[in-house]
Amino acid sequence: MNLVVVGAQWGDEGKGKIVDYLAAESDIIVRFSGGANAGHTIVTEQDTYKLHLVPSGIIYPDKVVILGTGMVIDPASLFEELAMLTAKGIEWKGRVLVSDRAHLVVPRYKHMDVEAEAKRRNPIGTTGRGIGITYAMKAHREGIRVGDILEEEMRKGLPAEDRKFLEPFLDRLRPMTIDIAAYLARNRVKRILFEGAQGILLDLDIGTYPFVSSGYSAAAGASLGGGIGPRAIDRVLGVFKAYTTRVGNGPFPTEFSEVDDRSLIAMIREIGREYGVTTGRARRCGYLDLVALRYACRTNSIDSLVLTHLDVYDTLSQIEACVAYECDGKRIEDFPSSIHLLEGCKPVTKSFPGWQRSLRDCSRFEDLPQEAKSYIRFIEEFTETNIDIVSVGYERRQTMIRRELWTRS
């Protein structure tokens, strides 16, 4: 069975924890897009792991993880991350595999990335890790694939500086490299978990273009970058937070006011740890945007939603969520493509009573206070999608499963 997990907002929704949790019942975990610009934090009873390239399931000793075709991989960053895992006692050799069709990031791409950002008419807020340039080179058909550098004749055609950079990684990458389509076909009877990067609203095609990532963040990317056909996807899970955050530039209709909501922003950033895993930048924070969430569900055929960070709201007496936008006196109920329109939108919010008690020891949905249940049920009704997992903390035990997920929709 093939289960896909994607972020249903602008990234940073808590996918790392959810993938780590679901990986316990998986055999293979495939990350199908993105690069070292994305970050996942995994908290276990023993340690905390900050991963950027390696799929979250690597923490389990019996799982195989694959860096998929849709990824762009900086080999230096990859082996630094693997060295960190070794230092923490994680035996990864033989369990970390790389698609031979994945593209590679080389140092000159990073320089090009920074230069391109400085010249943009609309600065994106890039991490400067060469991700966008690598995807651009891929589209220009001038990219460097993992499988290519393992062939001497192909290497000869590369610039000297690229060959020099890549040479030390050849013998280390060779035993890790696979034909992902063939590998997954041989393992089709197993439970395979596909892990996305960033969030749906950062997808190149259906996100808030041009303030998006250069890869695909949508569920369809699991097929394009994961080595399977679209009809092989059995279930799609969309992860979202009880509120909304965004990193970098771009429209954010429900963003809190830095003047009027300063104390609320500070609380959410502190309790929710709303700082980028990769950059350390403080995340922009705002109300839960149900208009955008419903759009994410519709465009990705999301079967089940996963609600995280619900506990961040524990102390509030009142909670608000956005149910529509208002622009120039008009009410807008669907997520628009126009960036200009989105930037001018104000949120139309609905208020909910807070629960004002800690949720962190709740282990079942039935244990939640009525106010939290009502908030969840309203989200389900608005998005027409069930919330089948609720997370109330960073630890694995702080996760409520409301429905068996390893079943076909």
Side-chain angles (χ1 to χ4, degrees), residues 256-271:
F256 294 137
S257 166
E258 288 285 352
V259 176
D260 298 333
D261 303 309
R262 183 174 297 176
S263 60
L264 182 58
I265 295 171
M267 183 206 77
I268 288 177
R269 282 180 179 158
E270 180 64 26
I271 299 174

Side-chain angles (χ1 to χ4, degrees), residues 279-297:
T279 64
R281 287 184 292 186
R283 295 172 184 145
R284 300 159 64 189
C285 301
Y287 302 113
L288 173 61
D289 189 335
L290 290 173
V291 179
L293 183 61
R294 182 172 59 191
Y295 169 76
C297 291

Side-chain angles (χ1 to χ4, degrees), residues 325-347:
Y325 306 137
E326 186 178 289
C327 187
D328 295 329
K330 296 181 180 179
R331 184 182 175 99
I332 299 172
E333 297 189 345
D334 292 311
F335 194 72
S337 65
S338 169
I339 298 303
H340 175 73
L341 183 61
L342 269 177
E343 288 175 339
C345 284
K346 301 297 181 185

Side-chain angles (χ1 to χ4, degrees), residues 164-190:
K164 182 179 179 181
F165 169 72
L166 293 168
E167 189 68 33
F169 302 110
L170 301 181
D171 290 339
R172 301 164 77 180
L173 279 171
R174 198 178 304 276
M176 300 166 61
T177 302
I178 61 165
D179 177 335
I180 190 173
Y183 183 90
L184 294 183
R186 290 194 297 269
N187 289 278
R188 65 168 60 92
V189 298
K190 295 184 178 180

